[in-house]
Amino acid sequence: MASRIIPVDPFDLVVFGGTGDLARRKIIPALFRRWCAGQMRDGTRIIGAARSERDSEEYRALIGDALAEFAGPAARDADAVTGFLAILDYVTIDATGTLGWSELRDLLNPQRVRAFYFSVGPELFGPLAERLHKHGMADGESRIVVEKPFGNDQSSAEALNRTLTTHFQEHQIYRIDHYLGKETVQNLMAIRFANMLFEPLWNSQYVDHIQITVAETVGVAGRGAYYDHAGAMRDMVQNHLMQLLCLIAMEPPAKFDPDAVRDEKLKVIRALDPVARDDIVRGQYLGDSANAGYREDVGNPDSTTESFAALRVQISNWRWAGTPIYLRTGKRLRARASEIAVVFKETPHSIFGAEAGRHRNILTIRLQPNEGIDLDMTIKEPGPGGMRLVDVPLDMTFAQALGPEAQDVPDAYERLIMDVVRGNQTLFMRCDEVEAAWAWIDPAIRLCEDEALPVLPYDPGSSGPEDALALMHRDGRRWREIKP
């Protein structure tokens, strides 16, 4: 099952913050892999822009080292690396001043797509947009890519949207959430809307509950200053988990069109009930003999910011009324794992008797690290002597289903950057969607702060605070085990 490569027309891509960590680890290696796949035509140019003084040759040397470290097996092809580095340029630029802007404009071709990737701190989004507009680079086929965090609350998100839309039209703004570029996340839409099997069952009549888990084994060391200000609620729940929730719960759009899809996602956010105090659990990881605890990592011994959050949420619409959705995310947990589990109800009557046990179907969408889809089915356990039931998975692990070709599936950044070039906004957030997400999460964050909702300690390598288990136990349910 070979993936079909559709080349895009030559384009200019400017990476602001082109010497930074995100550019070196993700953005430039993603572009390099698309170059190797033959998706980028001759004439394409990639321009790094940052405040550090260097020339294009020095920048190519920097990126060559980054490709060797982060681009995987493709970087072993010396000819491919040489060819890719030849399309790179560099401009020393002052994001808040005048240095470098005329030079940047002169490098660009106004007759082609010009994409500007804001791989910088959010405080620079506005100044960059303003200067691109001032120097005549915001017209025609120009578009900007904005990384999270997109605001710190509803008011700051609205202010940022106003700033960006002063200089660019909404169809030119691509608010990126890399989770939406994952192959399995997009397969979720295919499973729902391209198969008759699931959609009739995709409602509160047949679904008992849904669990969405994004667990990480790493701490926040190196990101302490940012993370202690944001916390898991702002850093993960408001964007990544919210996007997964929207895709799992939205109504079928009229067509696979950017605004049609985003309209349905917006309806889900607006239908979310306010979160009650008893439906939120917050936690901080402790230290152990090998690693520091959260407070040591952020350098704040009095921090009350959460590195773990679990929530029970409800959607007030006809499809999902009465079906709880449980969200969970945290640092320094047992394993690195992201998954969505749709847990169906048990059969209304078992003909096999109580001794056969209780069984239910579970559809699990694994986002990382072992991407794939499982459907737990109940079958007879082999052997004589009665009807004994056992649950077995129908497993579509990408690595097994696609074989060696699984290694060639584009990663999230590859897919999303190419969508920017094509002008396809389906997998990007619209301004009203971002603002609605903040409008929902802000009261929950204030509730935590105003009522001093405790931040509970938990051991590294665990599943989080014990109270998170109780969040489900009181409903007669259990979290799924966190495992890779």
Side-chain angles (χ1 to χ4, degrees):
M1 186 190 301
S3 60
R4 190 159 53 106
I5 303 298
I6 304 175
V8 297
D9 291 334
F11 61 91
D12 291 340
L13 173 64
V14 179
V15 183
F16 290 107
T19 60
D21 188 67
L22 179 62
R24 292 184 300 107
R25 286 177 176 270
K26 295 292 185 180
I27 300 171
I28 304 297
L31 289 163
F32 170 66
R33 287 189 289 269
R34 289 297 86 205
W35 167 269
C36 293
Q39 196 160 16
M40 294 160 58
R41 296 184 189 274
D42 291 342
T44 293
R45 301 173 68 198
I46 299 167
I47 301 167
R51 61 186 176 184
S52 57
E53 294 187 9
R54 66 184 77 218
D55 60 26
S56 293
E57 284 304 317
E58 291 171 324
Y59 185 62
R60 293 181 186 118
L62 175 75
I63 296 304
D65 293 340
L67 295 179
E69 186 174 359
F70 302 116
R76 299 175 192 151
D77 186 336
D79 290 340
V81 171
T82 300
F84 178 75
L85 294 179
I87 71 173
L88 300 186
D89 271 309
Y90 181 81
V91 175
T92 299
I93 207 158
D94 182 356
T96 59
T98 59
L99 177 66
W101 288 99
S102 296
E103 291 83 352
L104 177 61
R105 182 190 58 214
D106 292 342
L107 280 175
L108 302 179
N109 184 342
Q111 304 304 316
R112 62 171 59 167
V113 168
R114 295 175 293 174
F116 303 93
Y117 201 120
F118 291 3
S119 179
V120 295
E123 69 279 1
L124 296 179
F125 293 169
L128 287 174
E130 178 185 356
R131 280 156 181 78
L132 287 170
H133 183 267
K134 178 180 178 181
H135 290 274
M137 292 178 276
D139 57 350
E141 287 296 312
S142 296
R143 51 205 66 162
I144 59 174
V145 184
V146 184
E147 277 279 352
K148 79 176 187 75
F150 198 86
N152 187 58
D153 53 22
Q154 184 181 2
S155 61
S156 61
E158 290 173 346
L160 182 53
N161 278 332
R162 286 194 299 271
T163 299
L164 295 182
T165 53
T166 298
H167 307 293
F168 288 84
Q169 298 180 51
E170 177 62 30
H171 73 268
Q172 296 176 287
I173 303 171
Y174 291 71
R175 300 169 187 84
I176 190 169
D177 184 336
H178 72 273
Y179 262 61
L180 294 186
K182 291 181 180 293
E183 189 73 22
T184 326
V185 174
Q186 294 173 75
N187 252 317
L188 172 58
M189 287 191 280
I191 289 169
R192 285 197 57 192
F193 305 133
N195 295 281
M196 191 61 186
L197 175 64
F198 290 113
E199 187 58 27
L201 309 178
W202 212 264
N203 55 61
S204 59
Q205 182 177 353
Y206 297 101
V207 175
D208 179 78
H209 71 280
I210 298 171
Q211 299 183 29
I212 303 176
T213 296
V214 178
E216 300 177 86
T217 56
V218 298
V220 299
R223 300 176 66 218
Y226 160 73
Y227 201 93
D228 202 40
H229 178 66
M233 296 281 277
R234 290 184 174 94
D235 185 59
M236 293 296 293
V237 176
Q238 185 272 340
N239 41 74
H240 293 332
L241 273 70
M242 177 68 69
Q243 290 298 309
L244 299 179
L245 169 60
C246 288
L247 291 178
I248 203 77
M250 73 184 198
E251 295 295 319
K255 54 185 175 179
F256 193 60
D257 168 86
D259 279 331
V261 171
R262 294 186 293 181
D263 285 345
E264 297 304 333
K265 289 164 61 184
L266 180 62
K267 291 176 185 177
V268 173
I269 299 173
R270 289 177 171 169
L272 286 169
D273 288 343
V275 185
R277 184 185 191 280
D278 292 340
D279 290 336
I280 306 174
V281 176
R282 305 163 72 219
Q284 276 184 1
Y285 60 82
L286 298 171
D288 56 21
S289 58
N291 298 287
Y294 175 83
R295 293 183 177 183
E296 290 77 22
D297 279 344
V298 301
N300 181 1
D302 300 316
S303 174
T304 58
T305 302
E306 74 283 347
S307 64
F308 174 97
L311 297 87
R312 181 185 188 275
V313 303
Q314 295 272 148
I315 302 174
S316 288
N317 61 20
W318 277 38
R319 182 182 291 265
W320 295 114
T323 299
I325 300 175
Y326 301 91
L327 311 177
R328 174 177 58 165
T329 183
K331 303 286 188 182
R332 284 273 167 80
L333 297 179
R334 179 172 297 153
R336 176 176 175 262
S338 298
E339 70 168 35
I340 304 169
V342 180
V343 182
F344 291 91
K345 294 181 178 180
E346 297 179 17
T347 53
H349 170 70
S350 175
I351 66 172
F352 303 110
E355 65 275 9
R358 301 173 64 184
H359 301 269
R360 60 179 65 194
N361 304 120
I362 303 175
L363 179 67
T364 306
I365 301 98
R366 301 190 308 274
L367 309 179
Q368 63 181 22
N370 187 22
E371 292 189 351
I373 300 167
D374 291 342
L375 176 61
D376 286 357
M377 301 289 292
T378 302
I379 65 170
K380 177 188 177 295
E381 183 178 312
M387 180 65 73
R388 298 183 301 274
L389 304 182
V390 62
D391 294 333
V392 298
L394 299 177
D395 185 357
M396 195 201 78
T397 300
F398 283 1
Q400 296 174 357
L402 301 180
E405 292 171 1
Q407 302 298 318
D408 298 327
V409 173
D411 76 4
Y413 278 95
E414 294 177 57
R415 182 183 312 279
L416 293 173
I417 292 173
M418 288 298 101
D419 278 354
V420 172
V421 175
R422 295 188 190 96
N424 185 347
Q425 290 188 308
T426 304
L427 300 176
F428 297 83
M429 291 175 285
R430 203 169 56 194
C431 62
D432 51 0
E433 187 182 347
V434 172
E435 293 171 10
W438 278 118
W440 176 76
I441 199 68
D442 274 356
I445 294 173
R446 286 195 297 269
L447 186 67
C448 296
E449 296 170 349
D450 295 346
E451 297 195 16
L453 193 69
V455 180
L456 305 170
Y458 62 92
D459 292 328
S462 68
S463 297
E466 290 293 323
D467 284 35
L469 304 178
L471 185 68
M472 293 194 72
H473 286 173
R474 74 186 189 207
D475 292 342
R477 302 182 176 98
R478 297 171 60 92
W479 285 109
R480 289 170 53 82
E481 181 184 357
I482 295 176
K483 56 185 179 181

